[in-house]
Amino acid sequence: MKQEIEMEFKNLLTQEEFNRLKHFFFIRDDQFVYQENHYFDTPEFSLKGQGAALRIRVKNDTYTLTLKQTIEQGLLETHEALTKEKAQSILNNPAMMEGEMKSLLKDMGIAAEQLQHFGTLATHRAQVPYEGGMLVLDHSCYLQTEDYELEFEVNDWEQGKNSFEKLLASFRIPYRPSTNKIKRLYAKKYGVEDQS
């Protein structure tokens, strides 16, 4: 397992704004990479209640189990690489989760046996370096819904915030707070609002 702190700024986009940014940054259609995020929680949304999220991401034939936990500025991400077979077994039966991730969840008061696979969100993603960070364009599809999003992943919160606000202003893109993908999926599927 490995851990990292993720700091990012996010903004929902219209399709027109998405295309404008794509063309400005010379991003070709073949630069977008397809990925699937499979999300888990308990029926009582115990992870959500603790400001956490759990997913398996499938991307370029790799499978990664990730626990995201809210911290003061950003998210603490814990990653565990999985084989295709192990990922499939967890998707079919989350109780098959084992090892350090299972222990980490147990420390949060959550048993793997309580978890359910709640849904899948697919994203076409492209990224380009920008002002010391990584600019990310996402086109996501889930539950007969499509949305477009701009993310800016940074190492310095204040500098990143300033660069992101300037970028939005220069393209005359209004600030539209964007919740995490799992929150949008849950809101659409279950009417669950205010997810952490």
Side-chain angles (χ1 to χ4, degrees):
M1 284 200 324
K2 82 171 187 178
Q3 290 188 315
E4 63 184 354
I5 293 175
E6 176 185 72
M7 287 189 283
E8 64 183 8
F9 299 91
K10 300 156 81 77
N11 201 71
L12 286 175
L13 301 171
T14 65
Q15 185 176 7
E16 184 275 329
E17 291 164 349
F18 179 89
N19 287 331
R20 228 177 338 130
L21 287 166
K22 187 174 92 166
H23 289 109
F24 181 83
F25 287 103
F26 303 105
I27 300 171
R28 302 181 317 272
D29 288 340
D30 64 1
Q31 290 176 273
F32 283 83
V33 175
Y34 179 78
Q35 62 188 34
E36 291 178 353
N37 293 323
H38 302 276
Y39 293 106
F40 300 86
D41 208 330
T42 69
E44 303 77 28
F45 297 102
S46 302
L47 283 164
K48 175 189 82 66
Q50 296 186 47
L54 183 68
R55 73 165 187 232
I56 291 177
R57 173 170 284 170
V58 181
K59 177 181 174 183
N60 293 331
D61 294 321
T62 64
Y63 302 80
T64 307
L65 179 63
T66 298
L67 175 66
K68 293 188 173 198
Q69 297 169 282
T70 304
I71 57 175
E72 188 176 340
Q73 284 187 338
L75 297 168
L76 174 64
E77 294 189 342
T78 304
H79 305 286
E80 180 180 341
L82 302 173
T83 63
K84 180 179 182 179
E85 295 72 27
K86 187 62 182 174
Q88 196 59 56
S89 73
I90 293 171
L91 284 168
N92 292 332
N93 181 7
M96 299 300 291
M97 198 176 304
E98 54 191 29
E100 292 180 72
M101 191 68 79
K102 185 173 183 176
S103 297
L104 196 53
L105 290 167
K106 188 176 178 185
D107 291 344
M108 298 171 68
I110 298 169
E113 293 75 19
Q114 297 173 274
L115 295 171
Q116 294 180 3
H117 177 212
F118 269 100
T120 300
L121 182 146
T123 299
H124 289 88
R125 166 172 286 189
Q127 42 193 41
V128 292
Y130 179 74
E131 302 231 340
M134 188 64 68
L135 208 57
V136 179
L137 282 175
D138 281 348
H139 173 203
S140 296
C141 302
Y142 53 102
L143 302 172
Q144 289 76 52
T145 300
E146 289 184 67
D147 64 35
Y148 301 88
E149 182 180 29
L150 176 67
E151 296 183 3
F152 185 39
E153 299 173 359
V154 299
N155 293 316
D156 181 291
W157 186 266
E158 289 303 321
Q159 180 183 337
K161 183 175 187 290
N162 187 45
S163 294
F164 190 65
E165 289 172 352
K166 283 182 178 176
L167 177 67
L168 292 179
S170 70
F171 280 88
R172 294 187 174 85
I173 296 174
Y175 177 64
R176 298 183 197 97
S178 174
T179 59
N180 292 332
K181 289 175 177 61
I182 188 172
K183 297 177 184 180
R184 302 201 304 269
L185 174 71
Y186 281 6
K188 182 72 175 175
K189 186 167 185 175
Y190 302 105
V192 177
E193 300 298 333
D194 190 34
Q195 291 87 351
S196 300

